[in-house]
Structure formats: C-alpha cells, structure tokens
Amino acid sequence: MQCRSSNDLIQFVTEAKSVIKNGKVADYIPALGRAKRDDFSIAIHYPDGNCISAGDIEKQFTLQSISKVISLALVLIDRGPDFVFERVGMEPTGDPFNSIAKLETMAPAKPLNPMINAGALVVTHMLKGNSVEERFSRLLTFIQELSNDPSVSYSTEVAYSEFETADLNRALCYFLKQHQIINEDVEQLLKLYTKQCAIEMNCLDLARIGMIFAMDGRDPLNGKQIIPIDIARICKTFMVTCGMYNSSGEFAIKVGIPAKSGVSGGIMGSVPGKFGIGIFGPALDEKGNSIAGIRLLELLSKNYNLSMF
Ligand code: DON
C-alpha cells in the first residue's frame, strides 16, 4: 500500500526529534543495541485505506512488548476471558515492565496484568497449539491478517539474542512454574516468547494493526470482524491502563489514546473510531518507551484534540 508523505507530520516529527539526544537505545538484548538512535518515523492508517507518513516507513523493527497486546487478543479468542483472567490480573502495577517484586507479595502469585513481562509470559503460555512451532505460527498468521501483510515474519537474530540473555524472564517463568501458574517447560516457553517479541514489521503494518483495534476489531476494508468487539475493548483498556508501563498514567493525561510500546522503539496507537498509528524511534526514555515517539504523540494529541478523555 502507498502511504502519502504529509508536510504537517514532517513538521511534528522534526520538532519531536529534538528529544532524541536525551534517549538511549535498548541494549539489554544485544541485537537491539545495534539500532540507529536517530531513526524516527510514523505512519497513520485511516479506516478508508488512506495513509499518511513521515520518515523512513520501510524500516523494519521488532514488536517486543507491542506483541503482548496482540497475543492477548488471540489468547482471549482461544480461551475466553474467564479462563485467561483466572491466570492473569487486570490491574496496573506502577512497576517497571520486568519487575518481579509484586509477584512475591501476591497470593496466588498471579501476575497483575498481561502487559508486564510476568503477565505476558503467562499469556504466551496460554497460546493454543501442539508445539512451539504451531503456537508461533498461529500467532504469526493472526498478525499477518491484522496487518494485511503476509510477508510479516520474525528476526531470528533478535529472537536468539534475547533467548540467550533472558535470565530475568527465565527467573519469572520459574517463579510462575513453582506457583503452578504455568506448567510447561520453561525453555520452550521462552523460545516461543522471544520469537513472539522478535516479530518484525514496519510502521505502516503497525499503524494498520492499530487501526483494527481503533475500529473495534473489524477490518473496515473487507468487513471482517478479526477480533470480537468485547475482546478489542479489553485490549484497548489494557493499552490505556498499562500500555506504556509505569508511564501509563502520565501518558493518559498528556496524550489520552490507547497505545502500546516496545523496547525496540515501536509504539502502536489506536484513536478510537478514527485511525491507527505506527511509530518507530529506538531512542528510549528511562521507562523503556520511545522518547521522541511519546513527544510526537503529545504534539499530535494536542494539535488534533485526540484525547479520549
Ligand atoms: O521481555 C522483554 O524484555 C522484551 N522482549 C520485551 C520488553 C519490552 O518491549 C518492554 N517495553 N517497553
């Protein structure tokens, strides 16, 4: 699909870029450390198929935590909300995304929400299929349908790099297994989770997925309800309450749209009923969100009155 470059967007991108100098590329996953700090792009996808952009929107990046909201949608479709929320909660934590602290103080040791790593690992554990390959392939097919891009795949390099270094996530898994929240082999679950996080696409694909959530799970271009309305609503609510980790409150006040970030520097936004947003800017703030991406969303929200509150 063609995306038209927009002068207004280019202006906002130029302004937001000024904060990149205060950000840092994530390097706790070694392969992510090779990202170019100054990269910055955005695509906005409208329900009528129109798209506007600024920056190099062909650039591929991995979804990382953005994948958490999509795997949640698929698991909710697969298993239904009652099953899922017996195993993962609905409350924001106010803690960093990889924190183990609250797990220890909760009884049962069920993660507080599906957007922190502990909760996302439980969600990935619930993905249906007879093998890691089959479960991953179902998730990938779902993402290809949402993005309408059958070429979406994953970075073997980033997946392997995270798998090799994911000792904190391993610790979370072993804790969850000890408390019978999960019951599969930890290495198998990590293999699936790191492949999920390494699913790779560009801003345009991401904006299209954001648009499907914005349109209550329905693809307006072919009329198909890809995600049931109630499940799309649950996902968007988590995006508001936990999508930007322990910045979610400030983000809700300053931007006011459902959004999900990842440590690769991606942000997916869904402006309800209006459009989807895909941003890529790998320089991160101290909470792990794209620093210029957040600035850009603040500018867009203010100038176009996008807050839903
Ligand atoms: O589990 C991890 O650490 C990464 N694969 C994903 C973390 C992430 O993207 C957090 N986002 N801001």
Side-chain angles (χ1 to χ4, degrees), residues 262-273:
V263 284
S264 53
I267 302 179
M268 176 177 82
S270 298
V271 183

Side-chain angles (χ1 to χ4, degrees), residues 14-276:
T14 310
E15 193 176 336
K17 261 189 156 177
S18 64
V19 299
I20 288 181
K21 60 179 185 307
N22 305 324
K24 199 175 161 301
V25 167
D27 56 8
Y28 76 97
I29 299 172
L32 290 185
R34 289 195 272 283
K36 292 203 184 77
R37 201 172 91 126
D38 292 326
D39 278 348
F40 194 42
S41 48
I42 177 169
I44 291 183
H45 200 303
Y46 294 93
D48 65 1
N50 273 313
C51 171
I52 55 173
S53 70
D56 178 6
I57 58 155
E58 297 300 321
K59 198 116 199 182
Q60 299 269 319
F61 54 93
T62 56
L63 289 179
Q64 297 304 328
S65 285
I66 302 171
S67 69
K68 292 172 179 173
V69 75
I70 308 173
S71 57
L72 175 67
L74 184 55
V75 162
L76 284 167
I77 294 171
D78 275 358
R79 310 224 180 227
D82 290 348
F83 183 96
V84 172
F85 294 120
E86 262 166 42
R87 289 156 180 84
V88 61
M90 302 182 186
E91 301 303 333
T93 65
D95 292 331
F97 63 87
N98 52 9
S99 175
I100 198 165
K102 291 256 163 54
L103 267 188
E104 260 213 291
T105 56
M106 302 293 291
K110 147 176 150 176
L112 274 165
N113 70 68
M115 301 294 122
I116 50 171
N117 284 7
L121 286 159
V122 175
V123 169
T124 301
H125 170 64
M126 290 186 271
L127 276 173
K128 271 193 178 166
N130 292 319
S131 62
V132 163
E133 289 69 32
E134 189 184 329
R135 289 152 82 197
F136 179 68
S137 152
R138 289 189 60 246
L139 178 64
L140 188 61
T141 305
F142 183 57
I143 290 180
Q144 289 168 340
E145 185 177 19
L146 290 167
S147 61
N148 193 35
D149 183 351
S151 76
V152 169
S153 185
Y154 78 104
S155 160
T156 47
E157 188 203 353
V158 174
Y160 184 71
S161 179
E162 180 170 13
F163 182 79
E164 286 287 285
T165 53
D167 291 324
L168 201 46
N169 283 335
R170 267 187 188 85
L172 291 172
C173 287
Y174 280 111
F175 189 94
L176 293 165
K177 193 168 179 182
Q178 176 72 36
H179 289 270
Q180 285 125 38
I181 309 286
I182 64 170
N183 56 15
E184 71 176 299
D185 178 80
V186 167
E187 294 305 304
Q188 293 296 305
L189 175 56
L190 274 177
K191 201 186 263 180
L192 180 55
Y193 174 76
T194 50
K195 279 171 94 167
Q196 164 190 320
C197 289
I199 291 174
E200 203 172 32
M201 62 179 62
N202 61 28
C203 278
L204 178 54
D205 290 329
L206 192 60
R208 194 179 195 282
I209 301 178
M211 184 270 289
I212 303 288
F213 279 108
M215 302 313 287
D216 296 328
R218 184 172 169 271
D219 186 339
L221 297 165
N222 62 19
K224 187 171 172 200
Q225 191 76 43
I226 306 177
I227 304 169
I229 297 177
D230 58 327
I231 293 180
R233 188 178 57 78
I234 293 171
C235 293
K236 274 183 285 188
T237 311
F238 276 122
M239 286 160 78
V240 169
T241 56
C242 321
M244 310 301 282
Y245 298 105
N246 42 337
S247 282
S248 298
E250 184 177 346
F251 186 82
I253 288 170
K254 292 188 176 164
V255 181
I257 65 169
K260 184 72 204 85
S261 68
V263 284
S264 53
I267 302 179
M268 176 177 82
S270 298
V271 183
K274 292 196 176 132
F275 51 79

